[in-house]
Amino acid sequence: MNNRANYEAIYRRSITDRSGFWQEQAAFIDWATPFDQVLDYSRPPFARWFVNGTTNICYNAVDRHLAERGDQTAILWVSTEVDCRQQISYRQLYRQVNEMASLLVELGIGAGDRVLIYLPMIPEAIIAMLACVRIGAVHSVVFGGFAALALASRIDDASPKLVITADAGMRGGKVAPYKPLLDAGLAAVTVAKPKVLVINRGLASEPHPIAGEIDYHQAVARHAGQEVAPVWVESSHPSYILYTSGTTGKPKGIQRDTGGHMVALRMSMRYIYGVEPGDVMFAGSDIGWVVGHSYIVYAPLLTGATTLLYEGLPIRPDPGIWWSLVADYKVNCLFTSPTAIRLLKKTGVEWIHKYDLSSLRTLFLAGEPLDKETHRWVNEALHGPVIDNYWQTETGWPILTNFAGLGLMDLKFGSPTLPSFGYETLLLNGVTGEPVGAHTKGSLMIRPPLPPGCMTTVWNNDQAFVNTYFSRYQEPLYATFDYALYDEDGYFFIMGRDDDVINVAGHRLGTREVEEALCSHPGVAEAAAVGIKDDLKGQEIEAFVVLMSHTTPPTVEELKNVVARQIGGIAKPKYLHIVSSLPKTRSGKVIRRAILAIAEGRDPGELPTIEDSKTLEVIRDAIRER
Ligand code: ATP
Ligand code: MG
């Protein structure tokens, strides 16, 4: 049986016999009480998976491995910021998680209580997450790069009883304060003030914690050797809240369950990522993002694999750092974003070729469209396979992907391949709502019920779940808000966000099409395209291009012509600017709505998740030269 036929058979079953398929997958998880129903979909679009089964994530991620792999490394921590490397075995992890859980209990935290975690990439971050789920508490991790206001809005939304933070982190060799930002955030909250637990790393100049706060190291010392029995919760008990990246608007608070979450992640490791117990996985992301939750923390530990937790930048001390870690720790599976690879691409392939990467089986990339040229470049540099996988904070694991564990299907550069198990995808014409055929662009929708592991609701707001995601068409379908097409083999290509679609004289173009054409030029590192209002044509294209550093720079006209040649005259940008940087979210996604606002002379409004607001000036300066 070739791999495609094998995939087709399993995929079809995952849709036509959902219960049978997921029941089998649930056997990879330990349950305290077995579930009596695989799926309850009596209240659409709310799905409950593994009804009345009781289980515990921490038990499955830690305790369960003690007998067989207690001495195996669970967490490999590498910090190029504080120059430290540490290996924590499953047995040591068990001890530390129990001690922290015991401290949480002493602090009055119980099942259902929220705990906000605002920490750098240190082992205590993972330990805190596991300690929470051990006692049924619901964690909400806030990315360490966010500042006071982002913290305040998340505290107001989740009303945590406790915040766990550090005195400081380090970024690019400089001290990055955490505690002072939290203080500023807490000053702005409207809900009851949570308790504050501070992990003192000795990095900040001022002493922390201050009066009324708890010093983690002192407090946890009193819990040395303590054990806390895992709290068995019903499968749909919330495990965590995590906010989306805020690329297209206000971040949404995604709620994940317990049982479905575990079953889906464990399945994804076997079939998609091809990671087995004992393997080493390195997800070069941050625990503050969904890739970090799923593939730094939960999926590797649920699998009994080793996870590499990296505190530092991908290009410091030099652009070879990640590849040196792959070589040093015999990493089998690497996961990062197209942005990170484009950054490394600018520095040259020699950094990759310097190291022995024979342990590395696959590189996975997700988070934004992977242009063909970058996909081809990195695939060639690593001698394959590089797998594009498409998903969202909402889903927690891939919607579209290739399957390294099951047996790869042919790769097509620029495509995240085919629908993952359990996702009944539909591509609909945005205007008529009719399904579109091959090579025709449409809005990517999913027919509910969403598979296990996907969001169960918007935190504290069931109505927002229904209104935001299921209200576009008569039939309640889940909207991904992405624009896509599939080819003659059914392979998908994501064309951009469906609210960014550019309409030039009646031709609907995804931002990706224009950006892809620009990126095919060897002198281009990255590009962003937006559709600005035009009285005559409806919209005109304005493009912004960042050039590669080590090639002869192309001219503006040359780049405009590349687009005209590849897509057609209608797509030729009216304006094209060569700029030094693009406005991005802290998770590395281009914020096109900010670029568009500036290009149309509007105020981009509040951008709480922007990485560097100076990039807005770069766009303003460019516009002036029209
Ligand atoms: P918000 O929903 O708050 O506006 P966001 O959509 O950027 O922010 P995430 O959940 O982090 O928040 O990102 C999911 C989105 O990222 C997808 O909907 C899609 O637009 C994009 N994306 C993720 N992976 C891929 C991929 N492999 N190819 C193309 N786009 C991708
Ligand atoms: Mg989104």
Side-chain angles (χ1 to χ4, degrees):
M1 199 190 273
N2 74 32
N3 291 337
R4 175 74 190 248
N6 196 13
Y7 156 81
E8 294 286 353
I10 301 177
Y11 175 73
R12 214 169 310 117
R13 175 160 182 242
S14 77
I15 302 298
T16 56
D17 176 20
R18 288 179 200 271
S19 294
F21 176 79
W22 290 110
Q23 171 137 20
E24 280 168 21
Q25 300 308 322
F28 289 86
I29 294 301
D30 282 359
W31 302 84
T33 333
F35 47 89
D36 49 31
Q37 195 183 351
V38 176
L39 168 67
D40 171 6
Y41 196 52
S42 56
R43 204 166 65 93
F46 299 91
R48 280 182 66 196
W49 288 96
F50 312 111
V51 182
N52 292 333
T54 65
T55 182
N56 182 282
I57 298 187
C58 183
Y59 176 86
N60 273 283
V62 184
D63 306 32
R64 190 171 57 135
H65 304 308
L66 293 181
E68 236 182 283
R69 49 189 77 249
D71 296 322
Q72 180 195 307
T73 302
I75 302 172
L76 262 168
W77 181 54
V78 175
S79 172
T80 49
E81 297 288 358
V82 297
D83 199 17
C84 183
R85 292 184 178 209
Q86 216 181 60
Q87 308 201 357
I88 301 172
S89 68
Y90 272 100
R91 204 177 314 286
Q92 290 164 326
L93 181 63
Y94 174 80
R95 194 170 46 77
Q96 295 192 42
V97 167
N98 271 280
E99 290 170 358
M100 189 173 306
S102 171
L103 171 60
L104 295 184
V105 172
E106 184 200 284
L107 294 175
I109 308 300
D113 290 338
R114 275 81 59 206
V115 175
L116 189 128
I117 297 175
Y118 179 56
L119 285 174
M121 293 283 282
I122 54 177
E124 287 84 352
I126 299 183
I127 292 163
M129 292 164 80
L130 292 168
C132 285
V133 293
R134 187 170 191 83
I135 59 172
V138 180
H139 62 68
S140 177
V141 180
V142 177
F143 171 58
F146 283 143
L149 284 185
L151 270 164
S153 69
R154 286 159 177 74
I155 292 172
D156 277 339
D157 193 48
S159 55
K161 260 194 177 171
L162 175 74
V163 177
I164 305 178
T165 190
D167 56 342
M170 301 271 289
R171 215 165 290 131
K174 293 198 202 76
V175 173
Y178 274 62
K179 183 60 202 338
L181 298 184
L182 174 64
D183 291 344
L186 285 175
V189 305
T190 55
V191 294
K193 295 261 189 302
K195 292 181 182 166
V196 177
L197 180 65
V198 185
I199 298 173
N200 222 322
R201 302 178 78 192
L203 293 175
S205 45
E206 314 144 51
H208 285 290
I210 51 175
E213 296 165 352
I214 308 138
D215 179 289
Y216 171 72
H217 291 296
Q218 280 175 15
V220 83
R222 292 197 310 273
H223 295 265
Q226 294 291 316
E227 293 198 351
V228 177
V231 173
W232 305 112
V233 294
E234 201 274 335
S235 178
S236 52
H237 181 79
S239 57
Y240 72 74
I241 307 166
L242 179 65
Y243 294 82
T244 58
S245 296
T247 314
T248 58
K250 191 169 174 281
K252 301 167 275 272
I254 303 307
Q255 177 176 323
R256 192 101 52 222
D257 72 352
T258 294
H261 174 207
M262 285 196 280
V263 172
L265 290 184
R266 189 68 187 82
M267 187 287 288
S268 75
M269 292 298 258
R270 293 176 54 237
Y271 283 153
I272 300 175
Y273 297 97
V275 175
E276 295 295 328
D279 282 351
V280 182
M281 180 156 193
F282 173 17
S285 176
D286 192 283
I287 44 145
W289 309 128
V290 71
V291 173
H293 276 58
S294 293
Y295 296 104
I296 297 176
V297 184
Y298 288 117
L301 297 179
L302 288 168
T303 301
T306 297
T307 185
L308 198 154
L309 177 73
Y310 175 68
E311 180 183 39
L313 303 178
I315 46 163
R316 192 175 167 274
D318 62 51
I321 177 66
W322 279 7
W323 312 110
S324 79
L325 295 178
V326 170
D328 286 355
Y329 297 109
K330 306 215 170 356
V331 170
N332 305 115
C333 180
L334 182 64
F335 189 153
T336 187
S337 63
T339 309
I341 295 299
R342 282 194 278 264
L343 183 66
L344 296 174
K345 187 171 139 201
K346 278 198 240 178
T347 63
V349 76
E350 53 280 11
W351 290 106
I352 299 185
H353 288 159
K354 212 173 144 192
Y355 297 96
D356 171 12
L357 305 179
S358 53
S359 63
L360 187 64
R361 295 194 290 258
T362 6
L363 168 65
F364 285 85
L365 297 176
E368 33 154 13
L370 173 60
D371 62 279
K372 286 186 184 139
E373 185 42 39
T374 302
H375 200 174
R376 193 197 53 74
W377 178 84
V378 64
N379 200 71
E380 195 174 291
L382 292 174
H383 310 294
V386 174
I387 299 181
D388 182 8
N389 56 133
Y390 159 84
W391 46 294
Q392 309 179 304
T393 309
E394 287 86 342
T395 66
W397 61 282
I399 303 169
L400 300 172
T401 190
N402 212 317
F403 295 80
L406 188 68
L408 277 184
M409 297 176 283
D410 292 341
L411 288 181
K412 291 194 189 191
F413 295 138
S415 167
T417 319
L418 290 160
S420 191
F421 301 142
Y423 289 97
E424 190 177 353
T425 50
L426 294 110
L427 209 51
L428 302 184
N429 180 300
V431 181
T432 64
E434 292 294 314
V436 299
H439 297 287
T440 312
K441 288 164 276 184
S443 293
L444 183 59
M445 312 291 294
I446 300 166
R447 177 168 285 132
L450 295 176
C454 289
M455 71 189 298
T456 45
T457 187
V458 171
W459 168 253
N460 215 4
N461 199 343
D462 284 353
Q463 204 51 51
F465 177 61
V466 179
N467 294 350
T468 309
Y469 297 101
F470 293 92
S471 62
R472 187 176 286 189
Y473 299 108
Q474 200 77 29
E475 183 186 353
L477 297 172
Y478 172 86
T480 63
F481 301 102
D482 287 309
Y483 200 51
L485 62 74
Y486 58 85
D487 69 5
E488 63 288 356
D489 298 318
Y491 276 52
F492 278 87
F493 292 81
I494 301 293
M495 309 311 290
R497 308 288 180 133
D498 65 10
D499 34 12
D500 287 340
V501 166
I502 305 172
N503 195 334
V504 190
H507 301 272
R508 294 169 68 79
L509 295 166
T511 48
R512 157 93 184 263
E513 291 174 81
V514 181
E515 293 162 7
E516 178 80 53
L518 290 166
C519 288
S520 72
H521 190 289
V524 172
E526 51 184 358
V530 295
I532 52 168
K533 276 201 199 76
D534 180 86
D535 291 342
L536 212 60
K537 299 184 180 171
Q539 279 179 321
E540 277 279 19
I541 296 172
E542 182 152 19
F544 300 81
V545 170
V546 180
L547 297 180
M548 297 279 267
S549 35
H550 54 274
T551 49
T552 345
T555 64
V556 165
E557 211 39 43
E558 187 181 345
L559 292 174
K560 284 186 182 179
N561 285 331
V562 171
V563 182
R565 249 196 330 275
Q566 289 194 17
I567 311 176
I570 49 132
K572 183 171 172 173
K574 181 168 184 186
Y575 305 111
L576 187 144
H577 313 276
I578 291 174
V579 293
S580 56
S581 55
L582 299 171
K584 288 185 182 172
T585 62
R586 292 191 180 265
S587 56
K589 298 160 191 266
V590 174
I591 313 177
R592 290 181 193 78
R593 71 185 158 111
I595 301 179
L596 177 61
I598 296 173
E600 291 185 338
R602 290 180 282 118
D603 177 0
E606 259 192 62
L607 300 166
T609 64
I610 193 166
E611 158 100 62
D612 176 3
S613 41
K614 286 202 279 302
T615 52
L616 299 174
E617 276 317 306
V618 172
I619 302 296
R620 281 194 190 101
D621 290 344
I623 301 283
R624 276 186 212 111
E625 281 157 28
R626 270 179 190 159

